[in-house]
Amino acid sequence: MKYTFAALAACAVLATPALAQDLPQPVKARQGQFNILALNLGILGGMARGTVEYDADAAQAAADSLVAVTMVDQRAMWPEGTDMESIDGTRALPAAFENVEDVVAKWEALGEAAVAMQAAVGDGQQAIGQNMGAIAGACKDCHDDYRASE
Amino acid sequence: MRRLLTLLIPVAIVAIGIGLWLTAPSRVDAARFDGLTGAADRGEAVFTAAGCASCHHAPDAEGEAKLVLAGGQPFPSDFGTFYAPNISSHPEAGIGDWDLEDLANAVTRGVSPESQHYYPAFPYGAYAKITDQDLADLWAYMQTLPADATPSRAHDVGFPFNIRRSLGGWKLLFFSDDYVIEDIPAELERGRYLVEALAHCAECHTPRNALGGLDTARWMGGAPNPSGRGTIPPLTPDELTWSAADIAYYLETGFTPDFDAVGGHMAEVVENFAALTKEDRDAVAAYVKALPPLSE
């Protein structure tokens, strides 16, 4: 029992550097917002693909959440020294930090696509599918330039 | 001693002669294309599937500007940095003065109109399997794209890789116009053509040996990113557990099954696949699901 505890404690200590809580707060914040986006896109995407039954209320709530997240101002989330060359645990390329204005512009483009989704989801499954492309395009536009492959 | 030399010299000359003969650029038989007429509208789909613009557009081009094939994007590798050349329709800076035979030699043999070898950063090992009709259509389409006068940038490749003739030896070892996955049911043939030929997926998703040849025994087994940062994921079914529908949806939208979104150079690949038909995306997914697992 004692050994198990000691081993667990050692594991916890060794594992700590890899855990997210050690990332700088702006990195945790930006990764958190991307996770909320992914979670809600999953709800909408499932309905668009037909793997989840269309539910107008759930779709609206997911689209509203997308819009809410995209309203979060980005300027505090991309401080110098938080790119993948500087720290572990992020795939943000240094280019993002040299072009923060462009990152913000691309985020705003995502916001516009989210607003279009918000207005359309009530019209049914097909309307979700028609608006997924624009959101995916906005994600790609930014990842193409500013996020490294795994 | 003298007798030995008189014996060795002809042997050396013959050896050099055989070496030069073996490494000489081989050209396509132009008669292959007699009677073929290219159609630009069909060629656009070939161009998109082959991802020509993804490497040959200018480094910061967006949207429609990606069809200006001015070149200039850097491709770092263990052998140096390659710069995609200008392949726009400009007669001097690009390939505007080529004909279909020149394109076929370049794309399917890796040989320039001046009979020089191209570096295999240009995926002619995959393109070698392109059909003659697709080549004719591709050429018809490429001639409709805009001209750009930006000169091609010289590759930054050190000795001995800067000796182009040595690429003849590389081709002897690693160039083949055979498919890697043979004996495939007819319904997987379109997917195989897209994956192994046009979309040249293996160029990144299959590991390479010390000389830069694809390790076909570990076909689509994932590889280090040639940029030196990160890895490119494996596609074999023991590693990639997505369903065929997941793969097709990813190629259409760029969303993974847990709705992370595509990044890096793969974002350009998804952009291309999104512009192809659902049938083609489904064909790719079916081929990927049929890949032999790595452990075999």
Side-chain angles (χ1 to χ4, degrees), chain A residues 5-54:
Chain A
F5 182 78
L8 280 177
C11 283
V13 170
L14 289 172
T16 304
L19 291 178
Q21 34 286 36
D22 281 357
L23 287 168
Q25 196 177 29
V27 179
K28 281 192 282 185
R30 66 191 192 222
Q31 290 180 351
Q33 68 184 2
F34 295 135
N35 281 329
I36 302 173
L37 289 175
L39 184 68
N40 287 287
L41 283 170
I43 295 166
L44 294 170
M47 291 184 200
R49 291 173 64 186
T51 54
V52 178
E53 204 179 327
Y54 175 73

Side-chain angles (χ1 to χ4, degrees), chain B residues 65-78:
Chain B
K66 287 185 176 178
L67 292 177
V68 182
L69 307 175
Q73 287 184 65
F75 293 88
S77 79
D78 292 344

